[in-house]
Structure formats: C-alpha cells, structure tokens
Amino acid sequence: MKKLLVVVALIPLVAQMSMAGLLNAITHRPDARGLGLSGAVTAAGEGASALSSNPAGMFWVGDWEFEIGSTFLLTDFEYQPDALLGGGNWDAIDGLFPFPEFFLAHRMSDDLVVGMGAWIPYGLAADYAGYLPYFQSEVMVGDFAVGAAYNITDELVIGAAVKALYGNVDFNLPLIMGGNYLGSPHTSADGLGVGASLGLLYVDYPWRLGASYDIPVPIDISGHTKFPAMVGLGQQGFDSQIHNPARLGIGVAYNINCRWLVAADYFWTDYSDMDSLAVRYNSLPRTSVPLGWGDIHSVNLGTEYVPDLPNNWLTLRAGVGWLSSGAPDHTLVPSVPDTPGWDVSLGAGFQLTKNLELDVAGMFAWGERDISLAPGRAAAGHHRADIFGAGVTLKYKW
C-alpha cells in the first residue's frame, strides 16, 4: 500500500518536467524576435540569441553583440471533470511569469564567432486553490550555454554549444484510492544536467536552410514528498534520473526581396524512449514508474517585413504555429494541461539608434483536450489551456 501511494504521488513529477504539448510553445523562442516569428528561427535566426535555437546563426554578428530581455507569460487553465467525477468547472488562478534572457557574442575572426547566454526556455504554474481534490504546480527549467559558429565555406556554417540545464518543480497532487481522496502530498525536487546542441546553416541567397539538434540529457534529480497524516508515511526523500529529450529542428527561410522574409520550421521532440522512471527512496523499496509518452511534433511559420521608411527604422513580424501533445491520458493532470494547440504572434522591431535595437512581440496560444473516463485516468474530463505571451528585447551592437 505504501509503495503504491508513493508511486501515484511521483508520476506527476516527471510529467511536469516533460514540457510537452502546448506548454512547449516558447521553448525555442526566448527573445522577442523569435516570439514574433512563432519560433520559426532554425534557418531565420541570427545574432547572439541564435545560441538558444541554432548556434550556427550566431555567425551573423558584426563585432560585438549584446542582448537582454524577457518574455512574460500569463496562463489561464481550466478543467471540467467528467460528470461521474463530480462535474463542475475548475478555473486555476491566473499566473504571470517572467522568462529573462541574456546573450553576448563576439567575432573572433572572419570565420569564427563565439558566444554565451543564459535563458529560461520553460516554466509555468497552475494552482487550483479552493477545489478538492487540490492540484498545484510550479515548474522552471533554466539553461546556461557557451558556443561557437564557424564558416566552413561561403555557403556553409556550423555551430555548437555546451550547456548546463537546471530544473526545479514544486507541486501538490491528489492521492485517490478506491474513490476516496486521501489528501494532496507536497513534492519538491530539482536537478542539474549537462548537454550540447549542434547547428547547421546553408545559405544560397535568397534561400537559407537550417538544422539544429539538442542531444538527450540525463538529469539527476532529488527531493522529498510530504504525505498527509492519514497516509502514515510522513516525509520521504527520493532521488532519480530523468532525461531531457532529444530535439531536432529543420527550417527554411526565403527572402522574397530585400525587405520581405518568410520562414518555416518543423520540430520533433523525442519522448518516446521514456517508457518508465526508476525512483529510489530513502526508506522504501526501489520503484519503477511507467510513463508511456509519445513524440512531440510542431510546425511553425513566420514572416518579417521591413517597410520602405527612412533608415529602415521599423520591422514588422507575424507567425503561426501548431503543436501536438505527448502525455498519455493516464498521466495527465489538471496542473499540467498537456494539450495539442495553436499559437499566433505579432511583433515589431525598432532601430532606435545606429547601434541599439528594440524588439517587442505578443503571442496567444490555445488548446483543448478531452479524456474519457476509464480505470487509471485520474483527470477524465475536458482540459483547456490559454497562454498569453509578451516579449521585449534590447540589442546593442558595436
């Protein structure tokens, strides 16, 4: 009984670090330009911030380039339980979350650019306070990377980056056994991993073709779960290892003319190998938690237009994207609304001075998912996720 209860409590831990489905909406667009293009930056990305999407794009740096900014997300999650689970309408407390980013790049020679950066590619929180059973989650992943872009030929640029990944989660998820709600244990955990990404750009104006690949990263996590008094387990420490999945991006960009760019990207995120999770407890037997996730796919389209104005001081951007979901029905919980969905975005860039640029963008992502009632599905019903995003970036070149 105790082993089963702990397994039930820990399954959502991994689901919350999966970054699947609609919650992937900003993982490859940490700056305002990328947000405005709906993430279609594998081939179109350029400058210091390309370190986060395709490091080969850093090659388009003059001498020095410094970038700082943040994306802000406002989340609106809703869960309507199946009628046999009580029905009703659960509306999570809306949350506003900042995603800061910092990048610096320098041209070392005609063929080599090096750079560094720190950004938060993913994070959110959902809190269903006032409802029983009680769901609450806070999730954050941060990246720090150093990398380089090298020009092999006039047309071909390669890039690479080494990065450290930090993940932190904190949540309350309900224990329901035999139809009885036993309370919502509180779990917190964090961990660190080291990974790398590779990038490639082939440029034959007006075409640009790009590819990027993030290697899978094992992350050792440790934490504890505090159980309700009625369960009789107290606080249990644990450690485990999860894998930040491999990710492949393929993109194409085309300059219709000197003022108008269109771009398209496809992303594949490999969650299919994560069939189970081994968990080691301080005072309980080792346990394997089944996961059964699937791959995540997304398609992103973006366009950029520079009106014929003095000094080309204005750039306009727009984009649209579609994302699939990956978590199976039996691991989905209201605090992790892994839904397939769409996003649309608009953005603008302003050349404030010869060296200083300001980018701004807005995004709206939405998705829904229905889960039928069946054994093992704790969150049967209708799930809805709306995400509003706004980004601002300052870029200085010298």
Side-chain angles (χ1 to χ4, degrees), residues 61-185:
V61 167
D63 188 9
W64 285 91
E65 185 172 304
F66 171 73
E67 180 177 311
I68 189 170
S70 183
T71 297
F72 300 88
L73 292 188
L74 177 65
T75 60
D76 181 14
F77 301 143
E78 184 182 59
Y79 169 51
Q80 298 176 6
D82 186 277
L84 295 179
L85 295 179
N89 184 50
W90 296 20
D91 191 8
I93 299 173
D94 296 346
L96 180 65
F97 312 101
F99 295 76
E101 46 102 356
F102 155 82
F103 298 98
L104 178 67
H106 173 55
R107 178 169 294 279
M108 304 294 292
S109 69
D110 290 342
D111 297 319
L112 178 65
V113 173
V114 298
M116 61 179 293
W119 67 99
I120 297 178
Y122 173 80
L124 88 161
D127 191 343
Y128 288 88
Y131 299 97
L132 290 178
Y134 175 51
F135 292 85
Q136 171 271 332
S137 67
E138 294 181 6
V139 189
M140 186 276 288
V141 175
D143 285 7
F144 173 80
V146 294
Y150 184 76
N151 189 32
I152 297 179
T153 70
D154 290 341
E155 295 84 16
L156 187 62
V157 179
I158 61 172
V162 177
K163 54 187 178 180
L165 296 85
Y166 172 75
N168 179 274
V169 295
D170 184 278
F171 61 89
N172 291 83
L173 279 303
L175 287 178
I176 301 176
M177 300 295 296
N180 297 315
Y181 172 54
L182 304 182
S184 295

Side-chain angles (χ1 to χ4, degrees), residues 246-384:
R247 187 174 192 180
L248 174 67
I250 299 174
V252 57
Y254 179 73
N255 286 94
I256 298 175
N257 52 47
C258 63
R259 296 188 177 277
W260 194 1
L261 170 77
V262 292
D265 277 20
Y266 163 75
F267 289 93
W268 165 76
T269 307
D270 182 18
Y271 286 114
S272 61
D273 290 336
M274 301 179 67
D275 293 327
S276 62
L277 171 75
V279 181
R280 295 166 293 274
Y281 307 106
N282 289 349
S283 57
L284 292 169
R286 178 188 176 100
T287 300
S288 180
V289 181
L291 301 175
W293 294 338
D295 293 341
I296 306 297
H297 305 274
S298 69
V299 178
N300 306 82
L301 306 174
T303 185
E304 188 172 65
Y305 178 69
V306 181
D308 187 8
L309 298 172
N311 301 317
N312 295 325
W313 64 269
L314 176 64
T315 301
L316 302 175
R317 303 183 182 101
V320 60
W322 172 83
L323 305 98
S324 70
S325 60
D329 290 347
H330 65 274
T331 63
L332 190 72
V333 291
S335 56
V336 189
D338 175 28
T339 68
W342 294 83
D343 69 80
V344 293
S345 59
L346 293 173
F350 305 91
Q351 191 72 42
L352 301 180
T353 69
K354 179 181 178 181
N355 303 103
L356 184 63
E357 299 177 20
L358 170 67
D359 290 325
V360 296
M363 177 199 76
F364 174 58
W366 70 97
E368 295 180 305
R369 180 174 176 179
D370 290 302
I371 298 178
S372 59
L373 186 64
R377 297 179 181 178
H382 181 73
H383 298 257
R384 177 186 62 83

